[in-house]
Amino acid sequence: MGRHSFGAGGVDKLVAPAARAVNVVKSYGSGETKVTALDGVSYDFPRNEFTAIMGPSGSGKSTLMHTMAGLDSFDAGSVHIGDTDLAGLSEKELTHLRRDRLGFIFQSFNLVPTLTAAENITLPANIAGRDVDEEWYEEITERLGLAKRLNHRPSELSGGQQQRVACARALVSRPEIIFGDEPTGNLDSNSSREVLEILRMAVDRDDQTVVIVTHDARAASYADRVVFLADGNIVDELLNPTIERVLATMNGIEG
Ligand SMILES: Nc1ncnc2c1ncn2[C@@H]1O[C@H](COP(=O)(O)OP(=O)(O)OP(=O)(O)O)[C@@H](O)[C@H]1O
Ligand SMILES: [Mg+2]
Protein backbone atom coordinates (compact mmCIF):
# COMPACT_ATOMS: atom_id res chain seq x y z
CA MET A 1 0.00 0.00 0.00
CA GLY A 2 2.92 2.28 0.59
CA ARG A 3 0.96 4.36 3.11
CA HIS A 4 0.64 4.21 6.83
CA SER A 5 -2.28 2.24 8.04
CA PHE A 6 -3.77 4.28 10.83
CA GLY A 7 -5.66 2.56 13.61
CA ALA A 8 -5.32 -0.77 11.87
CA GLY A 9 -6.78 -3.52 13.97
CA GLY A 10 -4.09 -6.10 14.67
CA VAL A 11 -4.88 -9.77 14.43
CA ASP A 12 -4.49 -9.96 18.18
CA LYS A 13 -7.45 -7.68 18.73
CA LEU A 14 -10.09 -9.77 20.44
CA VAL A 15 -13.08 -7.55 19.95
CA ALA A 16 -14.20 -6.52 16.48
CA PRO A 17 -14.16 -2.74 16.07
CA ALA A 18 -17.53 -1.02 16.12
CA ALA A 19 -17.01 -0.12 12.47
CA ARG A 20 -14.26 -0.92 10.02
CA ALA A 21 -13.34 0.51 6.63
CA VAL A 22 -10.89 -1.41 4.47
CA ASN A 23 -9.51 0.27 1.35
CA VAL A 24 -12.74 2.07 0.67
CA VAL A 25 -12.82 3.89 -2.65
CA LYS A 26 -15.66 6.13 -3.71
CA SER A 27 -15.83 8.55 -6.57
CA TYR A 28 -18.52 10.78 -7.98
CA GLY A 29 -19.09 11.45 -11.65
CA SER A 30 -16.98 10.17 -14.50
CA GLY A 31 -14.48 11.31 -17.11
CA GLU A 32 -13.21 14.85 -16.68
CA THR A 33 -15.61 15.64 -13.87
CA LYS A 34 -14.72 12.56 -11.85
CA VAL A 35 -14.00 13.31 -8.17
CA THR A 36 -12.39 10.69 -5.95
CA ALA A 37 -13.94 11.42 -2.57
CA LEU A 38 -12.40 8.41 -0.81
CA ASP A 39 -9.12 7.14 -2.16
CA GLY A 40 -8.61 3.82 -0.37
CA VAL A 41 -9.49 4.62 3.24
CA SER A 42 -8.83 2.02 5.92
CA TYR A 43 -9.74 2.61 9.53
CA ASP A 44 -10.99 0.77 12.59
CA PHE A 45 -13.40 2.75 14.71
CA PRO A 46 -12.92 1.22 18.15
CA ARG A 47 -15.90 0.10 20.14
CA ASN A 48 -16.81 2.22 23.15
CA GLU A 49 -14.73 5.14 21.95
CA PHE A 50 -15.51 8.64 20.71
CA THR A 51 -13.81 9.33 17.37
CA ALA A 52 -13.74 12.69 15.62
CA ILE A 53 -13.08 13.02 11.89
CA MET A 54 -11.49 16.28 10.77
CA GLY A 55 -10.02 17.68 7.59
CA PRO A 56 -10.42 20.51 5.09
CA SER A 57 -13.69 21.11 3.26
CA GLY A 58 -14.08 18.56 0.48
CA SER A 59 -11.62 16.10 2.03
CA GLY A 60 -14.20 13.31 2.15
CA LYS A 61 -15.42 13.43 5.76
CA SER A 62 -19.15 13.31 5.04
CA THR A 63 -18.63 10.74 2.31
CA LEU A 64 -16.73 8.50 4.72
CA MET A 65 -19.41 8.85 7.36
CA HIS A 66 -22.27 8.19 4.92
CA THR A 67 -20.45 5.17 3.55
CA MET A 68 -19.75 3.76 7.02
CA ALA A 69 -23.37 4.27 8.01
CA GLY A 70 -24.75 2.38 5.03
CA LEU A 71 -26.27 5.52 3.52
CA ASP A 72 -24.02 5.66 0.46
CA SER A 73 -22.64 2.97 -1.78
CA PHE A 74 -18.92 2.70 -2.54
CA ASP A 75 -16.87 1.53 -5.52
CA ALA A 76 -14.30 -0.75 -3.89
CA GLY A 77 -13.14 -2.01 -0.53
CA SER A 78 -15.31 -3.15 2.34
CA VAL A 79 -17.24 -1.68 5.24
CA HIS A 80 -18.24 -3.53 8.38
CA ILE A 81 -20.51 -2.53 11.22
CA GLY A 82 -19.46 -4.90 13.99
CA ASP A 83 -19.37 -8.30 12.33
CA THR A 84 -21.75 -7.27 9.55
CA ASP A 85 -20.32 -6.78 6.06
CA LEU A 86 -22.42 -4.05 4.46
CA ALA A 87 -21.64 -5.27 0.95
CA GLY A 88 -23.61 -8.44 1.65
CA LEU A 89 -26.81 -6.62 2.59
CA SER A 90 -29.90 -5.91 0.53
CA GLU A 91 -31.46 -2.42 0.65
CA LYS A 92 -34.01 -3.74 3.10
CA GLU A 93 -31.37 -5.26 5.36
CA LEU A 94 -29.41 -2.00 5.24
CA THR A 95 -32.52 -0.10 6.28
CA HIS A 96 -32.99 -2.45 9.22
CA LEU A 97 -29.35 -2.19 10.22
CA ARG A 98 -29.56 1.62 10.23
CA ARG A 99 -32.81 1.56 12.15
CA ASP A 100 -31.86 -1.06 14.72
CA ARG A 101 -28.18 -0.43 15.31
CA LEU A 102 -27.25 3.12 14.32
CA GLY A 103 -28.14 6.64 15.36
CA PHE A 104 -27.68 9.72 13.17
CA ILE A 105 -27.19 13.41 13.76
CA PHE A 106 -26.83 15.09 10.41
CA GLN A 107 -26.44 18.67 9.23
CA SER A 108 -29.90 18.59 7.72
CA PHE A 109 -31.81 17.43 10.75
CA ASN A 110 -34.32 15.28 8.87
CA LEU A 111 -37.06 15.96 11.37
CA VAL A 112 -40.62 15.11 10.40
CA PRO A 113 -42.38 18.50 10.06
CA THR A 114 -45.82 17.28 11.11
CA LEU A 115 -44.62 15.69 14.35
CA THR A 116 -43.78 17.42 17.62
CA ALA A 117 -40.26 17.40 19.02
CA ALA A 118 -41.25 14.63 21.46
CA GLU A 119 -42.73 12.53 18.65
CA ASN A 120 -39.68 13.07 16.48
CA ILE A 121 -37.38 11.97 19.29
CA THR A 122 -39.17 8.68 19.89
CA LEU A 123 -40.10 7.98 16.25
CA PRO A 124 -37.20 5.61 15.40
CA ALA A 125 -37.73 3.64 18.60
CA ASN A 126 -41.46 3.46 17.88
CA ILE A 127 -40.92 2.29 14.32
CA ALA A 128 -38.49 -0.36 15.54
CA GLY A 129 -40.96 -1.41 18.23
CA ARG A 130 -38.52 -0.61 21.02
CA ASP A 131 -39.43 0.78 24.41
CA VAL A 132 -38.09 4.20 25.31
CA ASP A 133 -36.25 4.41 28.63
CA GLU A 134 -38.22 7.21 30.32
CA GLU A 135 -35.44 8.19 32.67
CA TRP A 136 -32.90 8.50 29.86
CA TYR A 137 -35.43 10.38 27.69
CA GLU A 138 -35.97 12.90 30.50
CA GLU A 139 -32.29 13.25 31.19
CA ILE A 140 -31.31 13.95 27.59
CA THR A 141 -34.21 16.26 26.80
CA GLU A 142 -33.53 18.17 30.03
CA ARG A 143 -29.80 18.42 29.43
CA LEU A 144 -30.33 19.47 25.82
CA GLY A 145 -32.63 22.25 27.01
CA LEU A 146 -35.64 20.80 25.20
CA ALA A 147 -37.93 20.18 28.17
CA LYS A 148 -40.12 23.21 27.37
CA ARG A 149 -40.08 22.63 23.62
CA LEU A 150 -41.24 19.03 23.40
CA ASN A 151 -44.72 19.88 22.13
CA HIS A 152 -43.48 22.19 19.39
CA ARG A 153 -43.14 21.24 15.76
CA PRO A 154 -39.81 21.69 13.97
CA SER A 155 -41.03 24.87 12.20
CA GLU A 156 -41.62 26.41 15.64
CA LEU A 157 -38.06 25.70 16.76
CA SER A 158 -34.79 27.50 16.05
CA GLY A 159 -32.10 25.79 14.01
CA GLY A 160 -30.13 25.01 17.14
CA GLN A 161 -33.20 23.58 18.87
CA GLN A 162 -33.95 21.40 15.84
CA GLN A 163 -30.39 20.15 15.92
CA ARG A 164 -30.76 19.28 19.60
CA VAL A 165 -33.99 17.39 18.83
CA ALA A 166 -32.04 15.41 16.23
CA CYS A 167 -29.38 14.67 18.88
CA ALA A 168 -31.96 13.50 21.39
CA ARG A 169 -33.51 11.29 18.69
CA ALA A 170 -30.14 9.69 17.93
CA LEU A 171 -29.37 9.11 21.59
CA VAL A 172 -32.66 7.98 23.02
CA SER A 173 -32.55 4.36 21.95
CA ARG A 174 -28.86 3.87 22.79
CA PRO A 175 -27.79 2.62 19.36
CA GLU A 176 -24.59 0.65 18.87
CA ILE A 177 -22.99 3.57 17.03
CA ILE A 178 -23.98 7.22 16.84
CA PHE A 179 -22.80 8.98 13.68
CA GLY A 180 -22.84 12.77 13.66
CA ASP A 181 -21.96 15.03 10.75
CA GLU A 182 -21.06 18.36 12.38
CA PRO A 183 -23.60 17.80 15.17
CA THR A 184 -22.54 21.03 16.86
CA GLY A 185 -22.19 23.01 13.64
CA ASN A 186 -25.18 25.29 14.24
CA LEU A 187 -25.06 25.51 18.01
CA ASP A 188 -23.95 28.25 20.39
CA SER A 189 -21.16 27.34 22.79
CA ASN A 190 -23.50 26.27 25.64
CA SER A 191 -25.65 24.00 23.49
CA SER A 192 -22.55 22.71 21.82
CA ARG A 193 -21.02 21.77 25.16
CA GLU A 194 -24.21 19.99 26.26
CA VAL A 195 -24.28 17.94 23.07
CA LEU A 196 -20.61 17.02 23.39
CA GLU A 197 -20.97 16.12 27.06
CA ILE A 198 -23.95 13.93 26.29
CA LEU A 199 -22.05 12.16 23.51
CA ARG A 200 -19.11 11.73 25.90
CA MET A 201 -21.47 10.31 28.52
CA ALA A 202 -23.00 7.88 26.01
CA VAL A 203 -19.51 6.45 25.55
CA ASP A 204 -18.35 6.54 29.16
CA ARG A 205 -21.54 5.48 30.87
CA ASP A 206 -23.55 3.57 28.27
CA ASP A 207 -20.73 1.80 26.42
CA GLN A 208 -21.75 3.32 23.12
CA THR A 209 -19.56 4.27 20.19
CA VAL A 210 -19.61 7.79 18.77
CA VAL A 211 -18.16 8.98 15.46
CA ILE A 212 -18.55 12.64 14.53
CA VAL A 213 -17.29 14.93 11.81
CA THR A 214 -16.29 18.34 13.11
CA HIS A 215 -14.41 21.46 12.07
CA ASP A 216 -14.11 22.57 15.69
CA ALA A 217 -10.93 21.76 17.62
CA ARG A 218 -12.77 22.18 20.91
CA ALA A 219 -15.39 19.62 19.86
CA ALA A 220 -12.65 17.25 18.70
CA SER A 221 -10.94 17.56 22.10
CA TYR A 222 -13.91 15.68 23.63
CA ALA A 223 -13.02 12.65 21.51
CA ASP A 224 -10.70 9.78 22.38
CA ARG A 225 -9.11 10.02 18.95
CA VAL A 226 -9.10 12.28 15.94
CA VAL A 227 -8.66 11.04 12.38
CA PHE A 228 -7.53 13.59 9.79
CA LEU A 229 -8.56 13.34 6.15
CA ALA A 230 -7.09 15.20 3.20
CA ASP A 231 -8.01 14.57 -0.44
CA GLY A 232 -9.80 11.34 0.40
CA ASN A 233 -6.96 9.84 2.42
CA ILE A 234 -6.33 9.48 6.12
CA VAL A 235 -3.21 11.54 6.71
CA ASP A 236 -2.92 11.66 10.50
CA GLU A 237 -4.37 10.49 13.77
CA LEU A 238 -4.25 11.85 17.33
CA LEU A 239 -5.01 9.91 20.48
CA ASN A 240 -6.29 11.73 23.57
CA PRO A 241 -6.38 15.00 21.64
CA THR A 242 -6.02 18.43 23.18
CA ILE A 243 -7.29 21.57 21.46
CA GLU A 244 -3.70 22.71 20.90
CA ARG A 245 -2.59 19.47 19.27
CA VAL A 246 -5.69 19.37 17.08
CA LEU A 247 -5.06 22.93 15.90
CA ALA A 248 -1.38 22.22 15.25
CA THR A 249 -2.23 19.12 13.23
CA MET A 250 -4.89 20.97 11.21
CA ASN A 251 -2.43 23.77 10.49
CA GLY A 252 0.08 21.21 9.26
CA ILE A 253 -2.46 19.65 6.90
CA GLU A 254 -3.90 22.88 5.54
CA GLY A 255 -0.58 24.75 5.48
N1 LIG B 1 -23.20 13.98 -4.58
C1 LIG B 1 -22.01 14.38 -5.02
N2 LIG B 1 -21.75 14.52 -6.34
C2 LIG B 1 -20.54 14.90 -6.79
N3 LIG B 1 -19.49 15.16 -5.99
C3 LIG B 1 -19.67 15.04 -4.67
C4 LIG B 1 -20.93 14.66 -4.10
N4 LIG B 1 -20.81 14.62 -2.76
C5 LIG B 1 -19.53 14.97 -2.50
N5 LIG B 1 -18.85 15.23 -3.63
C6 LIG B 1 -17.43 15.61 -3.74
O1 LIG B 1 -16.65 14.68 -3.01
C7 LIG B 1 -15.63 15.33 -2.26
C8 LIG B 1 -15.79 15.02 -0.79
O2 LIG B 1 -16.99 15.59 -0.33
P1 LIG B 1 -17.47 15.49 1.18
O3 LIG B 1 -18.86 16.00 1.25
O4 LIG B 1 -17.22 14.12 1.69
O5 LIG B 1 -16.44 16.51 1.90
P2 LIG B 1 -16.36 16.99 3.41
O6 LIG B 1 -14.99 16.66 3.89
O7 LIG B 1 -17.51 16.48 4.18
O8 LIG B 1 -16.45 18.58 3.25
P3 LIG B 1 -17.19 19.70 4.17
O9 LIG B 1 -16.25 19.94 5.31
O10 LIG B 1 -17.25 20.88 3.25
O11 LIG B 1 -18.53 19.17 4.58
C9 LIG B 1 -15.75 16.82 -2.60
O12 LIG B 1 -14.85 17.12 -3.62
C10 LIG B 1 -17.18 16.95 -3.08
O13 LIG B 1 -17.30 18.00 -4.01
MG1 LIG C 1 -19.21 17.40 5.04
Side-chain angles (χ1 to χ4, degrees):
M1 250 194 356
R3 284 195 198 105
H4 300 292
S5 186
F6 291 99
V11 282
D12 55 340
K13 224 172 186 184
L14 292 173
V15 188
R20 162 176 280 181
V22 182
N23 280 318
V24 176
V25 175
K26 173 157 181 86
S27 48
Y28 293 102
S30 60
E32 292 207 343
T33 58
K34 183 168 166 175
V35 175
T36 303
L38 299 176
D39 191 14
V41 171
S42 298
Y43 199 76
D44 282 359
F45 295 88
R47 202 172 284 283
N48 194 207
E49 282 198 24
F50 184 160
T51 302
I53 302 172
M54 300 191 83
S57 181
S59 58
K61 304 180 296 297
S62 296
T63 304
L64 177 60
M65 172 151 294
H66 285 217
T67 305
M68 298 304 299
L71 289 161
D72 269 357
S73 63
F74 46 96
D75 308 334
S78 68
V79 173
H80 284 77
I81 296 293
D83 291 331
T84 310
D85 183 349
L86 296 195
L89 302 184
S90 64
E91 269 310 313
K92 190 175 169 193
E93 288 168 327
L94 269 178
T95 304
H96 284 181
L97 174 127
R98 288 195 298 264
R99 187 189 76 187
D100 298 336
R101 297 173 59 186
L102 308 178
F104 299 98
I105 312 167
F106 284 152
Q107 276 166 312
S108 54
F109 319 120
N110 296 320
L111 300 178
V112 180
T114 52
L115 299 181
T116 64
E119 290 163 344
N120 267 288
I121 292 168
T122 56
L123 183 66
N126 291 341
I127 291 176
R130 272 194 305 266
D131 288 332
V132 170
D133 177 340
E134 278 298 321
E135 218 174 292
W136 180 231
Y137 172 87
E138 297 210 341
E139 176 160 351
I140 53 182
T141 50
E142 178 68 37
R143 290 188 54 147
L144 289 169
L146 292 169
K148 294 203 178 77
R149 293 283 180 277
L150 291 169
N151 293 320
H152 294 250
R153 290 179 215 290
S155 62
E156 299 159 345
L157 299 171
S158 72
Q161 287 165 342
Q162 291 180 49
Q163 189 155 28
R164 283 177 276 147
V165 170
C167 285
R169 180 184 57 186
L171 283 154
V172 76
S173 55
R174 295 191 169 95
E176 222 171 285
I177 310 180
I178 296 166
F179 287 106
D181 196 348
E182 304 189 40
T184 59
N186 293 311
L187 301 181
D188 61 33
S189 56
N190 277 335
S191 302
S192 180
R193 200 180 55 238
E194 289 295 353
V195 166
L196 292 163
E197 283 175 358
I198 276 198
L199 292 174
R200 188 67 253 173
M201 193 161 89
V203 172
D204 293 339
R205 201 189 71 174
D206 291 313
D207 297 334
Q208 286 178 270
T209 301
V210 170
V211 180
I212 67 164
V213 169
T214 184
H215 284 282
D216 177 15
R218 179 174 297 278
S221 73
Y222 280 78
D224 296 301
R225 57 177 63 224
V226 187
V227 188
F228 296 88
L229 278 178
D231 296 328
N233 290 295
I234 294 180
V235 294
D236 213 338
E237 176 184 46
L238 281 179
L239 303 182
N240 304 312
T242 59
I243 296 176
E244 293 71 25
R245 288 167 67 222
V246 170
L247 289 173
T249 308
M250 285 299 290
N251 280 337
I253 291 170
E254 282 167 356

